[in-house]
Amino acid sequence: MKTILIADDDPVMVKLLEFTLQRAGFGVLVCREGLSVIARVRAGRPDLIVLDVMLPGRSGLELLRDFKEDAELAKLPVVVVTSQGKNSTQDELLAAGALNVFTKPFSPTMLIARLRELLHEPAAQG
Amino acid sequence: MDNFSHKTFPMPGLDPAEPVVDRARLSELGQMATPAESDALLRELLALYRAEAVPHVARLAAAWRAGDAHGARREAHYLAGSSANLGLARLAAGWRELEALAGDGRLPVFTHFAEMLEARLREACAAYEQTVAELSGGR
């Protein structure tokens, strides 16, 4: 089973993602603030991260840059969710290593489809 | 001192351009669960939202009153994202307006600011509950 780390401080978002990802057959880890994300990644070894931009402690953008500078974490796929819709912000996130940027509110179905692609998992039946 | 009855200020609950609740969004969220679980999921999301939104609204009002533009922007940003996720479209638009004002460093003084924000939050949550009941009745 592939495992996804949700790094988000919004409990609604966490619940929604947790529910959706578990239903889709993924294991889920959760981190609600930025400073402990890297430790959580090292301990839990997720296959992918769904990362919020405005995390307390350390922002999503800062974390993307941290990952990039760390040989062990540089190749970990990261999808970013944000309520900032500005193209400049999205460009910055993509340049920092995000594979996708989803602007809230996004479709959970589309997110799952993209995560499956990134993790080379077959699409859900039906 | 401005007042929130001022029609040109697009505050939550006063801007008719957005629906109070985005029914399509609620349907989409509900469809993530089985029909039997859908109501429970939607109600749990609202309970989580409300529990978190109330202190964020209080912090937003306090930051606004104190002239703390950075703090006000951060709180409004959080509320905008969370409200949009839940389909509280008009409220999300209102928080975005406040976020934009704070982002520009403009924190105009409004009468009954905290009370107005709390009232808009209550109205939106009530409309959400009503929409969940309607969607449930239609299944």
Side-chain angles (χ1 to χ4, degrees):
Chain A
M1 180 192 284
K2 297 281 174 67
T3 300
I4 295 175
L5 172 67
I6 303 165
D8 201 310
D9 64 326
D10 177 356
V12 173
M13 190 71 192
V14 169
K15 173 66 189 176
L16 185 58
L17 285 174
E18 200 172 20
F19 184 91
T20 310
L21 291 170
Q22 285 174 345
R23 284 299 165 99
F26 294 106
V28 174
L29 302 170
V30 174
C31 191
R32 294 178 191 267
E33 52 81 35
L35 289 174
S36 57
V37 167
I38 288 185
R40 196 83 178 92
V41 170
R42 292 196 199 286
R45 302 275 171 186
D47 299 286
L48 184 146
I49 302 178
V50 177
L51 180 66
D52 182 31
V53 173
M54 293 284 274
L55 272 178
R58 193 142 184 86
S59 76
L61 186 58
E62 290 170 324
L63 284 165
L64 282 167
R65 290 171 178 154
D66 292 343
F67 296 152
K68 217 173 184 178
E69 289 172 5
D70 187 312
E72 195 185 348
L73 305 180
K75 291 189 176 168
L76 186 62
V78 181
V79 168
V80 170
V81 293
T82 176
S83 48
Q84 293 171 328
K86 292 178 187 169
N87 286 337
S88 56
T89 310
Q90 294 203 9
D91 291 347
E92 215 175 353
L93 291 163
L94 292 168
L99 295 176
N100 269 96
V101 178
F102 284 83
T103 302
K104 299 175 188 175
F106 56 83
S107 158
T109 309
M110 286 178 65
L111 175 69
I112 294 291
R114 182 58 182 143
L115 298 185
R116 286 191 192 283
E117 277 177 19
L118 292 170
L119 292 170
H120 309 292
E121 290 276 294
Q125 298 298 307
Chain B
M1 185 174 285
D2 287 320
N3 189 295
F4 275 113
S5 63
H6 196 294
K7 291 291 184 188
T8 59
F9 193 69
M11 280 305 303
L14 293 181
D15 180 5
E18 295 282 353
V20 177
V21 174
D22 178 352
R23 289 179 73 95
R25 177 66 180 168
L26 257 65
S27 290
E28 180 182 39
L29 296 180
Q31 283 166 14
M32 302 314 298
T34 64
E37 296 168 324
S38 177
D39 283 10
L41 173 65
L42 291 174
R43 291 182 203 286
E44 184 178 355
L45 291 174
L46 180 66
L48 288 167
Y49 170 82
R50 188 159 23 203
E52 201 69 13
V54 168
H56 277 281
V57 166
R59 286 199 289 272
L60 168 61
W64 202 277
R65 197 166 47 242
D68 172 10
H70 179 74
R73 179 175 178 270
R74 186 182 60 236
E75 298 299 338
H77 178 87
Y78 174 91
L79 287 162
S82 196
S83 303
N85 272 333
L86 207 56
L88 303 178
R90 192 175 294 178
L91 204 51
W95 301 133
R96 281 195 297 271
E97 291 289 339
L98 293 181
E99 182 187 359
L101 279 174
D104 292 342
R106 292 184 292 135
L107 301 178
V109 177
F110 300 108
T111 53
H112 306 299
F113 187 54
E115 292 86 348
M116 190 284 307
L117 298 181
E118 288 161 7
R120 296 291 89 80
L121 180 63
R122 281 195 302 274
E123 288 165 13
C125 290
Y128 178 102
E129 286 174 330
Q130 173 69 28
T131 307
V132 172
E134 288 167 11
L135 290 172
S136 178
R139 274 194 289 270

